[in-house]
Amino acid sequence: MSTLHPNAEKLIARAEEFFAEVADLTPGHELEKHLNENYGPGNPFYEDFCSLIRSGIANNEGWVATDELDGPKYRRSRLYTPTERTRFFSITTVYMDSQAEYRGQYHLHPYGEINCVVQIDPTAELKGMNGWQGAGWTSPGAGTHHYPEVRGGALVALFFLPAGRISYKATPEMKQPVAV
């Protein structure tokens, strides 16, 4: 693995500590509720994730969402692949910007997903499986699929995937799993 910016390394180290606390929890509605109640704004993990991501964007540090998918308004970077260090979660940043609404690539979460919503603009919201979320977390359950959507400004979805699993083969016509 190449050398990362010091703030990217700090984020990975902090995520490693976070994963130790949530490793046995299953992505889905209950985890989303738990994260928003216990790890949302004001929690040291959440605040550190936000501070590091915002610094990376503001100072053009070259590690937050650097690969353009649809021009500068929709970018992604995988910071870390699943390893024992991260309890086999991958770590990815996705930058999305929209004043109205913007949709990214349709995808499926084979094992679920945990998203830390980092607002760049204080009015930005990410659409999760349970509706729109500003500062806080979303956690789509295993087998769910959707368009990542943002409205009201720019944000970064700092997302953690169990085993790094994500699929771009899903289509909107597919049924959601029963647990949704």
Side-chain angles (χ1 to χ4, degrees):
M1 180 168 251
S2 63
T3 304
L4 294 174
H5 188 279
N7 280 341
E9 284 292 347
K10 286 178 188 175
L11 187 135
I12 293 164
R14 197 67 172 126
E16 185 178 5
E17 295 171 35
F18 174 72
F19 297 146
E21 292 198 21
V22 301
D24 296 330
L25 302 176
T26 302
H29 178 72
E30 289 303 315
L31 179 58
E32 182 172 311
K33 181 178 174 187
H34 175 76
L35 292 172
N36 280 306
E37 289 174 357
N38 299 289
Y39 292 90
N43 175 273
F45 285 114
Y46 181 81
E47 295 302 330
D48 288 349
F49 291 150
C50 289
S51 176
L52 291 164
I53 293 289
R54 288 181 186 128
S55 175
I57 295 280
N59 298 316
N60 198 24
E61 295 172 351
W63 61 274
V64 178
T66 57
D67 302 326
E68 290 188 3
L69 300 169
D70 186 16
K73 68 182 173 188
Y74 184 41
R75 309 185 309 259
R76 175 175 56 216
S77 293
R78 180 166 275 190
L79 297 180
Y80 209 79
T81 58
T83 67
E84 191 172 338
R85 176 183 181 194
T86 60
R87 296 182 185 248
F88 299 96
F89 282 91
S90 63
I91 303 172
T92 303
T93 58
V94 176
Y95 175 91
M96 293 187 287
D97 188 2
S98 175
Q99 294 308 310
E101 285 186 29
Y102 177 77
R103 282 185 161 181
Q105 291 178 305
Y106 203 84
H107 64 277
L108 178 135
H109 315 102
Y111 299 148
E113 178 178 47
I114 300 172
N115 287 307
C116 179
V117 180
V118 180
Q119 294 171 304
I120 305 304
D121 295 323
T123 55
E125 295 179 301
L126 179 69
K127 188 171 187 182
M129 301 307 292
N130 296 310
W132 292 99
Q133 176 68 52
W137 300 85
T138 67
S139 184
T144 59
H145 45 92
H146 67 121
Y147 288 103
E149 294 180 73
V150 65
R151 70 179 181 189
L155 60 75
V156 171
L158 170 62
F159 69 88
F160 310 123
L161 296 171
R165 294 286 311 276
I166 191 166
S167 171
Y168 293 99
K169 295 178 182 177
T171 63
E173 300 79 32
M174 293 172 56
K175 289 186 178 185
Q176 294 288 348
V178 175
V180 173

